[in-house]
Amino acid sequence: MASKPPIRVAVTGAAGNIGYALLFRIASGQMLGEDQPVILQLLEIPVEGPQKALRGVAMELEDCAFPLLQDMILTGDADTAFRDANWCLLVGSKPRGPGMERADLLKDNGKIFVAQGRSIDKVAADDARIAVVGNPCNTNCMIAASQAKRLGQDRFTAMVRLDENRGRALLARKAGVAVGEVSELFIYGNHSPTMFADFTHARIGGRPASEVIGDKAWLEGEYLPTVGKRGAAVIEARGQSSAASAANALVDHVRGLVTPGALHAVAVPSHGRYGFSEGVWAGMPVRSTGTGYEVVTSYDMDAFAKSKIKITNDELVAERDTVKEMLA
Ligand code: NAX
């Protein structure tokens, strides 16, 4: 049987921690399918240190002899990385330095995403889809999407899947069941501690999670902040931010978006859904159509859920205001 044409996957920040946990999984077929050849187009900042590290990662990829990995392009030039790319995974960004204000981080990273959004719109494949991980990922995604004139803004998604996976795992642990028993737990809003892990519609073994857990005070008072601050807890324990679990979530994010019928939370342009302001990128449940997605709008939110959505929406609106001069 003739093999499928390769999918070109551009990854930024490819020599970083998440990159190191991600590239091997893409090349092994876990993201796009075990019969799907891939070409990796890897972008790092164009200075010797990161470029040298990238060459080292590429040597290891070669040494895995992955049958699906048809080619690799290593570059410091965005247009070269994104040329004809079918998927653009925007992982690289500047970390928050000591004493740095969040507004400065937003603006510094915003510049990266203006340039990358423009480049993607200019040179990526007509069917290109984009997933943003670099933080603050919702707002970076909005900035990159605002540069797109050729590609529709709905192609630009940001990752809240790590929060979703954390939320599912914690519900399963509390209920004492396998994680596969948890369904319909979706993340709404920003990838930040304000995000709302909607336990009100989640199900455990097919029954409402709130009924199975039977402890409203825990769900409202402990569950939500534990999920929201899990990233900080990992940094505290490991001395480094989540990398393998973030790479795993990105594998899930993309696989969910290419698998018809798959249902999971993705940050997408809100278009006013679920009470989010027009123009922000907010996590909400989407169902894949294979080449695109439909937002599931059928969940009715109670007063508690609406109050949580308002908090995370207010944060997204404040972030948008901080970078408004960068939006094309
Ligand atoms: P690292 O600092 O290990 O790696 C980032 C890499 O990006 C570095 O190698 C750097 O040289 C490169 N880079 C910086 N600017 C670049 C540019 N303009 N073009 C290309 N490459 C560039 O960070 P890592 O742990 O890999 O995390 C990457 C990003 O993911 C961070 O912004 C981080 O905050 C974010 N995260 C997002 C998560 C999410 O759920 N959305 C969770 C995990 C993670 O915290």
Side-chain angles (χ1 to χ4, degrees), residues 9 18 22 25-26 30-32 86-91 128-134 137-138 141 153-165 168 187 189 191 244-269 281-293:
V9 184
I18 294 176
L22 174 70
R25 298 194 56 188
I26 302 174
Q30 290 178 50
M31 180 181 271
L32 293 164
N86 309 102
W87 273 100
C88 302
L89 309 181
L90 308 187
V91 178
R129 284 192 268 178
I130 298 92
V132 180
V133 172
C137 65
N138 298 54
C141 188
Q153 299 213 343
D154 290 341
R155 306 275 192 90
F156 288 73
T157 61
M159 186 175 93
V160 290
R161 183 61 187 256
L162 179 54
D163 308 293
E164 183 167 303
N165 287 348
R168 286 162 54 103
I187 303 296
H191 167 65
S245 56
N248 177 69
L250 185 53
V251 170
D252 287 346
H253 175 104
V254 173
R255 206 181 46 222
L257 284 171
V258 299
T259 306
L263 182 61
H264 62 144
V266 174
V268 295
W281 261 247
M284 55 186 74
V286 312
R287 185 177 281 111
S288 169
T289 58
T291 52
Y293 60 82

Side-chain angles (χ1 to χ4, degrees), residues 55 57 60 64 67 111 124 131 145 149 165 180 211 217 266 269 276 291 296:
R55 289 196 292 278
V57 176
E60 284 205 71
C64 292
K111 288 179 206 144
K149 305 288 171 264
N165 287 348
E211 210 177 282
V266 174
F276 285 100
T291 52
V296 178

Side-chain angles (χ1 to χ4, degrees), residues 13 16-18 44-45 91-93 112 116 133-135 137 159 191 246:
N17 282 313
I18 294 176
E44 258 299 341
I45 46 180
V91 178
S93 68
I112 296 175
Q116 293 186 350
V133 172
N135 277 325
C137 65
M159 186 175 93
H191 167 65

Side-chain angles (χ1 to χ4, degrees), residues 41-65:
Q41 308 191 159
L42 307 177
L43 181 67
E44 258 299 341
I45 46 180
V47 294
E48 181 51 15
Q51 288 294 320
K52 186 174 172 205
L54 184 58
R55 289 196 292 278
V57 176
M59 285 159 72
E60 284 205 71
L61 281 160
E62 270 176 26
D63 294 349
C64 292

Side-chain angles (χ1 to χ4, degrees), residues 42-326:
L42 307 177
L43 181 67
E44 258 299 341
I45 46 180
V47 294
E48 181 51 15
Q51 288 294 320
K52 186 174 172 205
L54 184 58
R55 289 196 292 278
V57 176
M59 285 159 72
E60 284 205 71
L61 281 160
E62 270 176 26
D63 294 349
C64 292
F66 288 119
L68 295 174
L69 182 55
Q70 280 200 354
D71 198 4
M72 276 187 278
I73 294 166
L74 316 184
T75 183
D77 172 58
D79 286 358
T80 306
F82 296 129
R83 182 154 294 116
D84 301 325
N86 309 102
W87 273 100
C88 302
L89 309 181
L90 308 187
V91 178
S93 68
K94 192 173 166 179
R96 188 166 176 170
M100 195 176 182
E101 296 294 332
R102 189 168 165 85
D104 295 333
L105 181 75
L106 276 160
K107 285 184 178 157
D108 274 10
N109 275 320
K111 288 179 206 144
I112 296 175
F113 288 85
V114 166
Q116 293 186 350
R118 251 179 225 161
S119 171
I120 289 167
D121 199 51
K122 189 170 71 171
V123 301
D126 286 340
D127 68 354
R129 284 192 268 178
I130 298 92
V132 180
V133 172
N135 277 325
C137 65
N138 298 54
T139 295
N140 288 340
C141 188
M142 173 184 65
I143 292 170
S146 80
Q147 304 300 320
K149 305 288 171 264
R150 177 175 62 103
L151 302 171
Q153 299 213 343
D154 290 341
R155 306 275 192 90
F156 288 73
T157 61
M159 186 175 93
V160 290
R161 183 61 187 256
L162 179 54
D163 308 293
E164 183 167 303
N165 287 348
R166 287 167 172 165
R168 286 162 54 103
L170 182 53
L171 273 187
R173 266 202 316 282
K174 178 75 174 172
V177 300
V179 73
E181 296 287 305
V182 180
S183 59
E184 295 182 74
L185 187 268
F186 304 114
I187 303 296
Y188 291 78
N190 206 1
H191 167 65
S192 88
T194 67
M195 54 98 211
F196 174 50
D198 180 20
F199 60 80
T200 71
H201 293 96
R203 303 183 86 79
I204 300 176
R207 290 171 53 213
S210 47
E211 210 177 282
V212 176
I213 303 278
D215 186 347
K216 195 168 173 228
W218 180 83
L219 284 166
E220 291 185 356
E222 207 172 314
Y223 173 71
L224 289 179
T226 305
V227 177
K229 293 180 188 155
R230 182 71 164 181
V234 170
I235 294 179
E236 165 62 21
R238 218 173 75 86
Q240 285 188 10
S241 63
S242 311
S245 56
N248 177 69
L250 185 53
V251 170
D252 287 346
H253 175 104
V254 173
R255 206 181 46 222
L257 284 171
V258 299
T259 306
L263 182 61
H264 62 144
V266 174
V268 295
S270 83
H271 297 307
R273 289 174 285 224
Y274 287 108
F276 285 100
S277 298
E278 190 67 41
V280 300
W281 261 247
M284 55 186 74
V286 312
R287 185 177 281 111
S288 169
T289 58
T291 52
Y293 60 82
E294 290 159 354
V295 174
V296 178
T297 53
S298 52
Y299 291 103
D300 279 331
M301 297 296 171
D302 63 14
F304 176 80
K306 282 183 183 156
S307 73
K308 292 292 173 189
I309 286 176
K310 180 179 181 322
I311 292 168
T312 192
N313 182 59
D314 286 351
E315 184 180 50
L316 286 167
V317 169
E319 289 186 9
R320 185 183 62 191
D321 289 348
T322 305
V323 300
K324 61 178 179 299
E325 72 283 2
M326 292 184 181

